[in-house]
Amino acid sequence: MSTEATTTVHLPAPPPIVREPLVFGRLPIPSRFFLAPLAGYTSLAYRLAVRENGGLGLATTDLVNARSILERRPRSFELSETCPDDQPMAVQLYGHVVDEMREAARRVVEQGASAVDINMGCPVRKVVKSGGGSALMCDAVSAARLVEAVVAAVDVPVTVKMRLGWDDATPTAPGLAREFEKVGVAAVIVHGRTRAQGFKGSVNRDGIRAVVEAVDRLPVVGNGDIRTLSDAARMFLETGCAAVSIGRGALGNPFIFRQLAHWSNHGHPGPEPSFEERVDVMDRHFRRLVSLRGERMACLQFRKLIKWYNYAIRPPKALYHRLINLPSLTVFEEAVAEIREHGPTAPLPSHFEPRVPVPSGPMDKW
């Protein structure tokens, strides 16, 4: 059975900006290809596994409640944890109380964050009803005051993640970006949907371009619907953004950052990752979960992740079923050894669309 990928990627020539140095404040960013936060998925274990593939510029943690940091809740430390090999990285905070956000930012910097990202994009009801996430986009004065306070509180770069606006009638992102530039943010990351869209519809690249055109020198990072290398190239070319932030596309293809870096330097993504490389990522990912969470919790957490790797490496069905019900490190090691020996049961895909659960139904029920 061939282990070659089933498709060939044809990309446009990279724009010159992708090869230029990028710095947020005094923080050098190795590339213009970022790992976006996805709640429950982009843990430290996963970030480290992806970094070792190469090409990653900046990674951001899952969304962390500022108040939970101040209350020293164990879950907040699990979400915001980092290490020297996980750099540069940003901790993404949400909240609307200035003093809480300011103090939480100080604490995550003390814990090793090399940047702080303020969330103004989360559309989920429990975040919005507290005044955080997308709700902040509805009050430009309060939003700018909060951002200015956080910028003044820490000596690392502060970025803001936001959507295009609350709805189509209120495209506030361009004006907010201008205000944030005035108070000293290092960059804004713009998801090309409104809060009213939730996760439906298509990303509006024209809306992201409007933010790019609204600021003077502030880097604007494009986010949303970047599932493939072609999507990333299109985001650069159609919006004029300074960098791209990739979420689900990285879950489906953890080598996407390496491929984009190769494209930026050589005009093509280079060779497809081999079967052994794909298995190695899965192996590293799980072993780091064990070291960070312990064997039992690692097994429980990994069960929801194994579907990605099933698509990527095409193991025999019996071995996949053994992993989907993973009980121990020993069973994992035995299954992986057999997967390596057997090889893939079908041609390897170049990418796939991982099913990441998102809220559905009426927005007021989220």
Side-chain angles (χ1 to χ4, degrees), residues 193-330:
R193 290 182 175 85
T194 64
R195 194 269 173 174
Q197 280 184 270
F199 298 96
K200 297 179 180 178
S202 299
V203 70
N204 180 354
R205 295 185 182 87
D206 289 339
I208 297 175
R209 173 170 281 282
V211 180
V212 173
E213 294 173 348
V215 296
D216 291 329
R217 294 177 299 278
L218 184 69
V220 176
V221 182
N223 171 246
D225 289 357
I226 304 177
R227 300 181 177 92
T228 66
L229 300 168
S230 296
D231 292 335
R234 187 177 177 189
M235 182 66 80
F236 276 112
L237 295 170
E238 294 186 9
T239 70
C241 64
V244 294
S245 183
I246 306 171
R248 280 177 291 174
L251 301 186
N253 175 15
F255 298 90
I256 194 169
F257 304 105
R258 181 180 80 182
Q259 293 171 324
L260 285 169
H262 199 280
W263 166 68
S264 70
N265 290 318
H266 305 286
H268 62 88
E272 289 287 340
S274 68
F275 173 73
E276 283 295 330
E277 286 181 306
R278 297 170 191 232
V279 177
D280 286 344
V281 171
M282 180 178 73
D283 190 43
R284 295 198 308 266
H285 187 178
F286 178 70
R287 289 179 184 277
R288 284 206 173 90
L289 275 176
V290 172
S291 67
L292 291 166
R293 300 284 165 262
E295 186 173 2
R296 178 179 176 278
M297 187 57 65
C299 289
L300 292 174
Q301 292 183 1
F302 203 71
R303 290 174 187 175
K304 75 173 183 178
L305 311 178
I306 190 60
K307 289 184 179 180
W308 315 343
Y309 294 114
N310 177 57
Y311 284 112
I313 65 178
R314 309 293 184 176
K317 185 174 293 186
L319 295 176
Y320 167 65
H321 287 159
R322 200 183 302 175
L323 291 174
I324 203 72
N325 298 297
L326 188 62
S328 67
L329 174 59
T330 298

Side-chain angles (χ1 to χ4, degrees), residues 121 123-124 163-168 191-205 223-225 227 248 353 356-366:
V124 177
R163 288 185 171 230
L164 296 178
W166 185 261
D167 54 28
D168 287 338
H191 180 93
R193 290 182 175 85
T194 64
R195 194 269 173 174
Q197 280 184 270
F199 298 96
K200 297 179 180 178
S202 299
V203 70
N204 180 354
R205 295 185 182 87
N223 171 246
D225 289 357
R227 300 181 177 92
R248 280 177 291 174
E353 177 71 21
V356 177
V358 296
S360 59
M363 291 283 285
D364 62 351
K365 304 299 183 185
W366 286 12

Side-chain angles (χ1 to χ4, degrees), residues 43-71:
S43 65
L44 175 59
Y46 182 71
R47 297 197 304 271
L48 291 174
V50 170
R51 285 184 185 279
E52 291 184 357
N53 295 330
L56 179 60
L58 177 73
T60 303
T61 68
D62 288 6
L63 186 64
V64 187
N65 187 323
R67 186 172 298 171
S68 71
I69 291 283
L70 303 185
E71 294 173 350

